[in-house]
DNA sequence: ATAGATGCAAAGAGTTTGCATAGGT
DNA sequence: ACCTATGCAAACTCTTTGCATCTAT
C-alpha cells in the first residue's frame, strides 16, 4: 500500500497541477514527456487513476471529448468551452446555491456547470473570415 | 439528401423521444429491439448521429460514462446524477441567466448544469455502517 | 429502377491489463 | 532484498466504416 515517488508520477502530477485547465490523457503524456521522454501512455492512465482515487485531481468530461483531468486543489470553479476553437477555459464565478433546483427528496452535494459560446479569441460567428487575428491554440 | 422512413429509424427516434431521460447507445439498442429485433448497434450509431445533425436529439455526457442522448424537444433542462445508484434524472429548474459568469470578451450561447447527490431512492449516506435500511436501485 | 438504409464483420481509437524488468525504499 | 511502478504489447470496449443486400420511394 505504499506510494512511491517516481519521476514519472511527479512529472504527471506536476503537469496537471500546473495546467490551469483540464488536460486529456494525451495532453498529459505530451507535456510530461518533456520531463520524462520515455513516459508511456499506460503509465499516464495508471497514475491518473491513482490520483483520482487519492482525490488529488478530478475528472471533467464535456460532450464529445474524452475525459480531461485537472487539479482538485483549484477552488470551486466551472468551465467554458468555445464552440469555435473547442478550447476549454476555467470560469471562476459560480451561480451559487443550486440545492433548490433538485426535485423534492433529492439531496444536492455538488454541481458542475459548463458554459458554451465564443471565447475572446474567436469573436462573432458573423460574416466570413478574412480579417482579424486568428488566435488558435493547438 | 433524402430521408427515408425505415422501421429502425422510427423505432430509434421513438425510444429516445419517449425515454424522459438520456439513454446510452446500448440502452437505445435494447429498447428499440423490442420493436425491431434485428436492429444492430451500428444502425443505432448511424441514426443517433443523423438525429443529432438534424437537431432532433442532443448529447449529454457525464464524467465516466459514454455519451447519452435525449430528445431535443424537451424544454431547456438540466441533469441530476445520483452518486449512489448512478442513475441520471432530468431537472426542470434552471438558475437562469448565466451569461455574466464568463470572463470579459466571452459570449455565452448556452449552458449545461449537472447536479450530483442522492436521489430520493438512495437516502442519507449514513455515517458508521452497521444499521439502517439500504435502498439500492439496480 | 434507383439510391439510401441496414446487418455483419472488420477496422479504428481510446483505455486497460499481463508480464518481465527497472528502480524506490 | 523486497515489492511497487514502468514499458511494451496484447486484450478489451466503444464507435466507425466497407460492402453486399435490402427496401422505401
Amino acid at each position: 500500500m505504499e506510494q512511491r515517488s517516481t519521476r514519472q508520477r511527479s512529472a504527471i502530477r506536476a503537469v496537471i497541477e500546473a495546467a490551469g485547465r483540464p488536460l486529456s490523457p494525451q495532453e498529459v503524456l505530451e507535456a510530461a514527456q518533456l520531463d520524462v521522454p520515455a513516459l508511456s501512455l499506460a503509465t499516464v492512465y495508471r497514475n491518473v487513476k491513482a490520483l483520482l482515487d487519492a482525490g488529488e485531481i478530478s475528472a471533467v468530461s464535456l460532450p464529445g471529448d474524452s475525459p480531461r483531468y485537472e487539479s482538485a486543489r483549484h477552488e470551486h470553479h466551472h468551465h467554458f468551452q468555445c464552440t469555435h476553437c473547442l478550447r476549454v477555459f476555467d470560469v471562476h464565478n459560480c451561480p451559487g446555491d443550486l440545492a433548490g433546483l433538485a426535485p423534492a427528496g433529492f439531496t444536492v452535494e455538488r454541481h458542475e456547470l459548463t458554459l458554451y459560446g465564443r471565447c475572446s479569441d474567436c469573436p462573432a460567428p458573423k460574416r466570413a473570415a478574412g480579417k482579424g487575428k486568428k488566435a488558435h491554440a493547438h
Side-chain angles (χ1 to χ4, degrees), chain A:
Chain A
M1 192 105 281
E2 262 175 283
Q3 185 71 322
R4 296 181 180 176
S5 172
T6 62
R7 290 174 341 107
Q8 16 299 73
R9 178 162 301 157
S10 302
I12 291 171
R13 180 187 287 119
V15 162
I16 296 177
E17 291 293 338
R21 67 187 186 84
L23 300 178
S24 67
Q26 189 59 46
E27 291 177 312
V28 172
L29 174 69
E30 288 162 15
Q33 283 186 325
L34 294 178
D35 190 31
V36 185
L39 182 63
S40 70
L41 234 199
T43 294
V44 170
Y45 278 106
R46 279 189 282 234
N47 279 295
V48 158
K49 194 182 210 175
L51 291 171
L52 275 177
D53 290 343
E56 288 188 53
I57 64 175
S58 51
V60 178
S61 93
L62 303 180
D65 305 293
S66 40
R68 294 155 190 254
Y69 305 88
E70 66 180 354
S71 169
R73 290 188 181 173
H74 289 184
E75 69 284 4
H76 179 70
H77 67 284
H78 297 296
H79 300 99
F80 177 104
Q81 179 168 43
C82 177
T83 55
H84 188 246
C85 66
L86 303 184
R87 284 184 296 176
V88 176
F89 302 82
D90 278 1
V91 171
H92 295 285
N93 291 312
C94 174
D97 182 44
L98 299 173
L101 300 180
F106 283 50
T107 306
V108 176
E109 299 169 346
R110 66 192 186 80
H111 65 265
E112 242 173 59
L113 173 65
T114 307
L115 303 178
Y116 295 90
R118 292 270 168 163
C119 71
S120 53
D121 289 334
C122 301
K126 278 306 178 186
R127 63 192 81 175
K131 47 96 66 68
K133 65 300 179 61
K134 284 194 165 266
H136 263 242
H138 58 291

mmCIF file of all heavy atoms in Angstrom, chain A residues 2 4-5 41-42 45-46 49 66-67, chain C residues 14-19 22-25:
data_model
loop_
_atom_site.group_PDB
_atom_site.id
_atom_site.type_symbol
_atom_site.label_atom_id
_atom_site.label_comp_id
_atom_site.label_asym_id
_atom_site.label_seq_id
_atom_site.Cartn_x
_atom_site.Cartn_y
_atom_site.Cartn_z
ATOM 1 N N GLU A 2 2.077 1.032 -0.363
ATOM 2 C CA GLU A 2 2.999 2.173 -0.398
ATOM 3 C C GLU A 2 2.715 3.093 -1.571
ATOM 4 O O GLU A 2 2.037 2.730 -2.506
ATOM 5 C CB GLU A 2 4.433 1.657 -0.579
ATOM 6 C CG GLU A 2 5.207 1.552 0.693
ATOM 7 C CD GLU A 2 6.556 0.931 0.401
ATOM 8 O OE1 GLU A 2 6.594 -0.296 0.227
ATOM 9 O OE2 GLU A 2 7.549 1.677 0.332
ATOM 10 N N ARG A 4 5.123 5.111 -3.865
ATOM 11 C CA ARG A 4 6.482 5.541 -4.165
ATOM 12 C C ARG A 4 6.540 6.793 -5.011
ATOM 13 O O ARG A 4 5.644 7.081 -5.780
ATOM 14 C CB ARG A 4 7.226 4.412 -4.880
ATOM 15 C CG ARG A 4 7.375 3.228 -3.981
ATOM 16 C CD ARG A 4 8.138 2.131 -4.680
ATOM 17 N NE ARG A 4 8.259 1.000 -3.781
ATOM 18 C CZ ARG A 4 8.801 -0.157 -4.115
ATOM 19 N NH1 ARG A 4 9.281 -0.325 -5.330
ATOM 20 N NH2 ARG A 4 8.876 -1.138 -3.253
ATOM 21 N N SER A 5 7.637 7.477 -4.869
ATOM 22 C CA SER A 5 7.810 8.706 -5.620
ATOM 23 C C SER A 5 8.700 8.450 -6.825
ATOM 24 O O SER A 5 9.897 8.269 -6.684
ATOM 25 C CB SER A 5 8.464 9.762 -4.711
ATOM 26 O OG SER A 5 8.813 10.888 -5.479
ATOM 27 N N LEU A 41 1.936 6.007 -22.308
ATOM 28 C CA LEU A 41 0.539 6.368 -22.096
ATOM 29 C C LEU A 41 -0.058 5.521 -20.977
ATOM 30 O O LEU A 41 -0.857 6.010 -20.177
ATOM 31 C CB LEU A 41 -0.264 6.134 -23.373
ATOM 32 C CG LEU A 41 -1.094 7.284 -23.944
ATOM 33 C CD1 LEU A 41 -2.126 6.734 -24.887
ATOM 34 C CD2 LEU A 41 -1.765 8.081 -22.846
ATOM 35 N N ALA A 42 0.318 4.261 -20.941
ATOM 36 C CA ALA A 42 -0.235 3.366 -19.920
ATOM 37 C C ALA A 42 0.072 3.898 -18.532
ATOM 38 O O ALA A 42 -0.771 3.844 -17.634
ATOM 39 C CB ALA A 42 0.343 1.965 -20.091
ATOM 40 N N TYR A 45 -2.253 6.748 -17.697
ATOM 41 C CA TYR A 45 -3.559 6.250 -17.281
ATOM 42 C C TYR A 45 -3.520 5.701 -15.865
ATOM 43 O O TYR A 45 -4.412 5.946 -15.062
ATOM 44 C CB TYR A 45 -4.047 5.168 -18.248
ATOM 45 C CG TYR A 45 -4.686 5.739 -19.492
ATOM 46 C CD1 TYR A 45 -4.032 5.706 -20.716
ATOM 47 C CD2 TYR A 45 -5.941 6.331 -19.433
ATOM 48 C CE1 TYR A 45 -4.610 6.241 -21.856
ATOM 49 C CE2 TYR A 45 -6.534 6.866 -20.567
ATOM 50 C CZ TYR A 45 -5.869 6.825 -21.781
ATOM 51 O OH TYR A 45 -6.445 7.363 -22.897
ATOM 52 N N ARG A 46 -2.494 4.920 -15.573
ATOM 53 C CA ARG A 46 -2.425 4.338 -14.231
ATOM 54 C C ARG A 46 -2.302 5.415 -13.157
ATOM 55 O O ARG A 46 -2.939 5.343 -12.108
ATOM 56 C CB ARG A 46 -1.257 3.353 -14.155
ATOM 57 C CG ARG A 46 -1.621 1.990 -14.746
ATOM 58 C CD ARG A 46 -0.550 0.931 -14.494
ATOM 59 N NE ARG A 46 0.568 1.088 -15.412
ATOM 60 C CZ ARG A 46 1.031 0.115 -16.196
ATOM 61 N NH1 ARG A 46 0.487 -1.083 -16.174
ATOM 62 N NH2 ARG A 46 2.043 0.324 -17.000
ATOM 63 N N LYS A 49 -5.489 7.526 -12.734
ATOM 64 C CA LYS A 49 -6.456 6.770 -11.941
ATOM 65 C C LYS A 49 -6.101 6.829 -10.453
ATOM 66 O O LYS A 49 -6.960 7.053 -9.608
ATOM 67 C CB LYS A 49 -6.448 5.316 -12.404
ATOM 68 C CG LYS A 49 -7.625 4.517 -11.898
ATOM 69 C CD LYS A 49 -7.469 3.078 -12.378
ATOM 70 C CE LYS A 49 -8.810 2.399 -12.574
ATOM 71 N NZ LYS A 49 -8.637 1.046 -13.157
ATOM 72 N N SER A 66 -13.008 13.047 -24.881
ATOM 73 C CA SER A 66 -12.729 12.041 -23.866
ATOM 74 C C SER A 66 -12.488 12.869 -22.606
ATOM 75 O O SER A 66 -12.254 14.077 -22.682
ATOM 76 C CB SER A 66 -11.502 11.222 -24.275
ATOM 77 O OG SER A 66 -10.516 12.036 -24.837
ATOM 78 N N PRO A 67 -12.542 12.237 -21.446
ATOM 79 C CA PRO A 67 -12.404 12.982 -20.198
ATOM 80 C C PRO A 67 -11.083 13.718 -20.039
ATOM 81 O O PRO A 67 -10.047 13.320 -20.559
ATOM 82 C CB PRO A 67 -12.609 11.919 -19.128
ATOM 83 C CG PRO A 67 -12.266 10.643 -19.808
ATOM 84 C CD PRO A 67 -12.789 10.809 -21.184
ATOM 85 P P DG C 14 -8.053 8.386 -30.268
ATOM 86 O OP1 DG C 14 -8.335 9.823 -30.147
ATOM 87 O OP2 DG C 14 -6.692 7.890 -30.559
ATOM 88 O "O5'" DG C 14 -8.557 7.684 -28.923
ATOM 89 C "C5'" DG C 14 -9.939 7.779 -28.571
ATOM 90 C "C4'" DG C 14 -10.186 7.030 -27.278
ATOM 91 O "O4'" DG C 14 -10.049 5.611 -27.513
ATOM 92 C "C3'" DG C 14 -9.217 7.369 -26.145
ATOM 93 O "O3'" DG C 14 -9.950 7.417 -24.928
ATOM 94 C "C2'" DG C 14 -8.237 6.218 -26.172
ATOM 95 C "C1'" DG C 14 -9.118 5.060 -26.617
ATOM 96 N N9 DG C 14 -8.442 3.962 -27.310
ATOM 97 C C8 DG C 14 -7.498 4.064 -28.307
ATOM 98 N N7 DG C 14 -7.082 2.897 -28.730
ATOM 99 C C5 DG C 14 -7.794 1.978 -27.970
ATOM 100 C C6 DG C 14 -7.787 0.560 -27.976
ATOM 101 O O6 DG C 14 -7.110 -0.202 -28.676
ATOM 102 N N1 DG C 14 -8.670 0.027 -27.033
ATOM 103 C C2 DG C 14 -9.458 0.770 -26.210
ATOM 104 N N2 DG C 14 -10.244 0.093 -25.376
ATOM 105 N N3 DG C 14 -9.491 2.093 -26.194
ATOM 106 C C4 DG C 14 -8.636 2.626 -27.095
ATOM 107 P P DT C 15 -9.140 7.704 -23.568
ATOM 108 O OP1 DT C 15 -10.052 8.505 -22.735
ATOM 109 O OP2 DT C 15 -7.784 8.187 -23.866
ATOM 110 O "O5'" DT C 15 -9.049 6.254 -22.903
ATOM 111 C "C5'" DT C 15 -10.245 5.513 -22.746
ATOM 112 C "C4'" DT C 15 -9.966 4.191 -22.060
ATOM 113 O "O4'" DT C 15 -9.309 3.279 -22.980
ATOM 114 C "C3'" DT C 15 -9.084 4.253 -20.814
ATOM 115 O "O3'" DT C 15 -9.746 3.542 -19.773
ATOM 116 C "C2'" DT C 15 -7.796 3.564 -21.233
ATOM 117 C "C1'" DT C 15 -8.273 2.598 -22.297
ATOM 118 N N1 DT C 15 -7.298 2.191 -23.337
ATOM 119 C C2 DT C 15 -7.131 0.842 -23.574
ATOM 120 O O2 DT C 15 -7.722 -0.022 -22.957
ATOM 121 N N3 DT C 15 -6.238 0.539 -24.560
ATOM 122 C C4 DT C 15 -5.503 1.427 -25.321
ATOM 123 O O4 DT C 15 -4.730 1.011 -26.186
ATOM 124 C C5 DT C 15 -5.723 2.829 -25.020
ATOM 125 C C7 DT C 15 -4.962 3.865 -25.784
ATOM 126 C C6 DT C 15 -6.604 3.141 -24.053
ATOM 127 P P DT C 16 -9.050 3.241 -18.378
ATOM 128 O OP1 DT C 16 -10.087 3.296 -17.341
ATOM 129 O OP2 DT C 16 -7.840 4.082 -18.274
ATOM 130 O "O5'" DT C 16 -8.614 1.723 -18.542
ATOM 131 C "C5'" DT C 16 -9.594 0.785 -18.969
ATOM 132 C "C4'" DT C 16 -9.021 -0.616 -18.951
ATOM 133 O "O4'" DT C 16 -8.075 -0.790 -20.027
ATOM 134 C "C3'" DT C 16 -8.278 -0.979 -17.652
ATOM 135 O "O3'" DT C 16 -8.698 -2.285 -17.265
ATOM 136 C "C2'" DT C 16 -6.813 -0.950 -18.070
ATOM 137 C "C1'" DT C 16 -6.892 -1.367 -19.527
ATOM 138 N N1 DT C 16 -5.815 -0.880 -20.411
ATOM 139 C C2 DT C 16 -5.210 -1.794 -21.255
ATOM 140 O O2 DT C 16 -5.484 -2.975 -21.261
ATOM 141 N N3 DT C 16 -4.271 -1.267 -22.110
ATOM 142 C C4 DT C 16 -3.879 0.046 -22.193
ATOM 143 O O4 DT C 16 -3.046 0.392 -23.029
ATOM 144 C C5 DT C 16 -4.527 0.948 -21.259
ATOM 145 C C7 DT C 16 -4.137 2.393 -21.262
ATOM 146 C C6 DT C 16 -5.457 0.448 -20.429
ATOM 147 P P DT C 17 -8.135 -2.974 -15.965
ATOM 148 O OP1 DT C 17 -9.250 -3.749 -15.379
ATOM 149 O OP2 DT C 17 -7.414 -1.975 -15.158
ATOM 150 O "O5'" DT C 17 -7.088 -4.008 -16.567
ATOM 151 C "C5'" DT C 17 -7.500 -4.895 -17.615
ATOM 152 C "C4'" DT C 17 -6.373 -5.854 -17.941
ATOM 153 O "O4'" DT C 17 -5.421 -5.227 -18.821
ATOM 154 C "C3'" DT C 17 -5.587 -6.332 -16.722
ATOM 155 O "O3'" DT C 17 -5.277 -7.709 -16.912
ATOM 156 C "C2'" DT C 17 -4.329 -5.489 -16.759
ATOM 157 C "C1'" DT C 17 -4.127 -5.308 -18.253
ATOM 158 N N1 DT C 17 -3.399 -4.099 -18.684
ATOM 159 C C2 DT C 17 -2.575 -4.214 -19.778
ATOM 160 O O2 DT C 17 -2.399 -5.248 -20.381
ATOM 161 N N3 DT C 17 -1.969 -3.053 -20.162
ATOM 162 C C4 DT C 17 -2.085 -1.816 -19.573
ATOM 163 O O4 DT C 17 -1.498 -0.852 -20.044
ATOM 164 C C5 DT C 17 -2.945 -1.769 -18.408
ATOM 165 C C7 DT C 17 -3.114 -0.467 -17.672
ATOM 166 C C6 DT C 17 -3.557 -2.901 -18.030
ATOM 167 P P DG C 18 -4.662 -8.573 -15.714
ATOM 168 O OP1 DG C 18 -5.669 -9.584 -15.319
ATOM 169 O OP2 DG C 18 -4.086 -7.663 -14.697
ATOM 170 O "O5'" DG C 18 -3.476 -9.317 -16.462
ATOM 171 C "C5'" DG C 18 -3.698 -9.975 -17.723
ATOM 172 C "C4'" DG C 18 -2.385 -10.499 -18.266
ATOM 173 O "O4'" DG C 18 -1.615 -9.411 -18.838
ATOM 174 C "C3'" DG C 18 -1.486 -11.129 -17.205
ATOM 175 O "O3'" DG C 18 -0.762 -12.212 -17.806
ATOM 176 C "C2'" DG C 18 -0.557 -9.993 -16.810
ATOM 177 C "C1'" DG C 18 -0.426 -9.199 -18.099
ATOM 178 N N9 DG C 18 -0.299 -7.750 -17.925
ATOM 179 C C8 DG C 18 -0.993 -6.958 -17.050
ATOM 180 N N7 DG C 18 -0.700 -5.681 -17.167
ATOM 181 C C5 DG C 18 0.246 -5.646 -18.184
ATOM 182 C C6 DG C 18 0.920 -4.544 -18.770
ATOM 183 O O6 DG C 18 0.805 -3.342 -18.508
ATOM 184 N N1 DG C 18 1.810 -4.944 -19.763
ATOM 185 C C2 DG C 18 2.019 -6.245 -20.151
ATOM 186 N N2 DG C 18 2.900 -6.442 -21.106
ATOM 187 N N3 DG C 18 1.379 -7.282 -19.629
ATOM 188 C C4 DG C 18 0.517 -6.909 -18.655
ATOM 189 P P DC C 19 0.185 -13.108 -16.917
ATOM 190 O OP1 DC C 19 0.147 -14.469 -17.509
ATOM 191 O OP2 DC C 19 -0.083 -12.916 -15.464
ATOM 192 O "O5'" DC C 19 1.585 -12.454 -17.272
ATOM 193 C "C5'" DC C 19 1.948 -12.265 -18.653
ATOM 194 C "C4'" DC C 19 3.362 -11.711 -18.736
ATOM 195 O "O4'" DC C 19 3.323 -10.256 -18.650
ATOM 196 C "C3'" DC C 19 4.279 -12.175 -17.601
ATOM 197 O "O3'" DC C 19 5.578 -12.418 -18.133
ATOM 198 C "C2'" DC C 19 4.306 -10.982 -16.652
ATOM 199 C "C1'" DC C 19 4.227 -9.827 -17.647
ATOM 200 N N1 DC C 19 3.719 -8.555 -17.099
ATOM 201 C C2 DC C 19 4.205 -7.364 -17.643
ATOM 202 O O2 DC C 19 5.021 -7.407 -18.558
ATOM 203 N N3 DC C 19 3.760 -6.184 -17.146
ATOM 204 C C4 DC C 19 2.860 -6.177 -16.149
ATOM 205 N N4 DC C 19 2.445 -4.980 -15.697
ATOM 206 C C5 DC C 19 2.348 -7.386 -15.589
ATOM 207 C C6 DC C 19 2.802 -8.541 -16.090
ATOM 208 P P DA C 22 16.024 -4.508 -16.400
ATOM 209 O OP1 DA C 22 17.027 -4.297 -17.470
ATOM 210 O OP2 DA C 22 16.335 -5.374 -15.260
ATOM 211 O "O5'" DA C 22 15.593 -3.080 -15.856
ATOM 212 C "C5'" DA C 22 14.878 -2.189 -16.729
ATOM 213 C "C4'" DA C 22 14.338 -1.032 -15.915
ATOM 214 O "O4'" DA C 22 13.320 -1.509 -15.010
ATOM 215 C "C3'" DA C 22 15.377 -0.331 -15.058
ATOM 216 O "O3'" DA C 22 15.105 1.060 -15.041
ATOM 217 C "C2'" DA C 22 15.183 -0.968 -13.690
ATOM 218 C "C1'" DA C 22 13.693 -1.248 -13.673
ATOM 219 N N9 DA C 22 13.281 -2.421 -12.911
ATOM 220 C C8 DA C 22 13.784 -3.695 -13.007
ATOM 221 N N7 DA C 22 13.177 -4.543 -12.219
ATOM 222 C C5 DA C 22 12.219 -3.787 -11.562
ATOM 223 C C6 DA C 22 11.244 -4.099 -10.596
ATOM 224 N N6 DA C 22 11.049 -5.326 -10.134
ATOM 225 N N1 DA C 22 10.464 -3.099 -10.140
ATOM 226 C C2 DA C 22 10.654 -1.876 -10.629
ATOM 227 N N3 DA C 22 11.529 -1.452 -11.544
ATOM 228 C C4 DA C 22 12.278 -2.466 -11.971
ATOM 229 P P DG C 23 16.007 2.051 -14.178
ATOM 230 O OP1 DG C 23 15.925 3.386 -14.827
ATOM 231 O OP2 DG C 23 17.320 1.408 -13.912
ATOM 232 O "O5'" DG C 23 15.229 2.146 -12.795
ATOM 233 C "C5'" DG C 23 13.880 2.636 -12.757
ATOM 234 C "C4'" DG C 23 13.427 2.759 -11.315
ATOM 235 O "O4'" DG C 23 13.201 1.444 -10.756
ATOM 236 C "C3'" DG C 23 14.449 3.418 -10.399
ATOM 237 O "O3'" DG C 23 13.733 4.105 -9.392
ATOM 238 C "C2'" DG C 23 15.168 2.244 -9.793
ATOM 239 C "C1'" DG C 23 14.005 1.290 -9.601
ATOM 240 N N9 DG C 23 14.292 -0.119 -9.486
ATOM 241 C C8 DG C 23 15.294 -0.852 -10.082
ATOM 242 N N7 DG C 23 15.250 -2.118 -9.783
ATOM 243 C C5 DG C 23 14.143 -2.241 -8.941
ATOM 244 C C6 DG C 23 13.581 -3.372 -8.298
ATOM 245 O O6 DG C 23 13.958 -4.547 -8.360
ATOM 246 N N1 DG C 23 12.469 -3.034 -7.533
ATOM 247 C C2 DG C 23 11.960 -1.767 -7.408
ATOM 248 N N2 DG C 23 10.896 -1.624 -6.635
ATOM 249 N N3 DG C 23 12.466 -0.697 -8.015
ATOM 250 C C4 DG C 23 13.553 -1.009 -8.758
ATOM 251 P P DG C 24 14.324 5.420 -8.751
ATOM 252 O OP1 DG C 24 13.989 6.544 -9.644
ATOM 253 O OP2 DG C 24 15.721 5.171 -8.330
ATOM 254 O "O5'" DG C 24 13.417 5.549 -7.446
ATOM 255 C "C5'" DG C 24 11.986 5.522 -7.573
ATOM 256 C "C4'" DG C 24 11.367 5.029 -6.281
ATOM 257 O "O4'" DG C 24 11.617 3.607 -6.117
ATOM 258 C "C3'" DG C 24 11.900 5.706 -5.025
ATOM 259 O "O3'" DG C 24 10.827 5.887 -4.126
ATOM 260 C "C2'" DG C 24 12.931 4.718 -4.502
ATOM 261 C "C1'" DG C 24 12.340 3.376 -4.919
ATOM 262 N N9 DG C 24 13.297 2.313 -5.223
ATOM 263 C C8 DG C 24 14.360 2.366 -6.081
ATOM 264 N N7 DG C 24 14.977 1.223 -6.213
ATOM 265 C C5 DG C 24 14.266 0.354 -5.390
ATOM 266 C C6 DG C 24 14.449 -1.039 -5.142
ATOM 267 O O6 DG C 24 15.284 -1.803 -5.615
ATOM 268 N N1 DG C 24 13.518 -1.519 -4.231
ATOM 269 C C2 DG C 24 12.528 -0.774 -3.638
ATOM 270 N N2 DG C 24 11.740 -1.411 -2.793
ATOM 271 N N3 DG C 24 12.331 0.532 -3.883
ATOM 272 C C4 DG C 24 13.240 1.015 -4.767
ATOM 273 P P DT C 25 11.071 6.716 -2.780
ATOM 274 O OP1 DT C 25 9.741 7.300 -2.463
ATOM 275 O OP2 DT C 25 12.251 7.599 -2.907
ATOM 276 O "O5'" DT C 25 11.374 5.578 -1.721
ATOM 277 C "C5'" DT C 25 10.395 4.570 -1.505
ATOM 278 C "C4'" DT C 25 10.818 3.645 -0.383
ATOM 279 O "O4'" DT C 25 11.679 2.585 -0.905
ATOM 280 C "C3'" DT C 25 11.592 4.326 0.751
ATOM 281 O "O3'" DT C 25 11.168 3.793 1.995
ATOM 282 C "C2'" DT C 25 13.034 3.889 0.508
ATOM 283 C "C1'" DT C 25 12.824 2.493 -0.079
ATOM 284 N N1 DT C 25 13.924 1.980 -0.942
ATOM 285 C C2 DT C 25 14.154 0.620 -0.948
ATOM 286 O O2 DT C 25 13.514 -0.170 -0.311
ATOM 287 N N3 DT C 25 15.192 0.235 -1.764
ATOM 288 C C4 DT C 25 15.998 1.033 -2.542
ATOM 289 O O4 DT C 25 16.900 0.553 -3.217
ATOM 290 C C5 DT C 25 15.690 2.437 -2.483
ATOM 291 C C7 DT C 25 16.506 3.399 -3.268
ATOM 292 C C6 DT C 25 14.681 2.851 -1.683
#
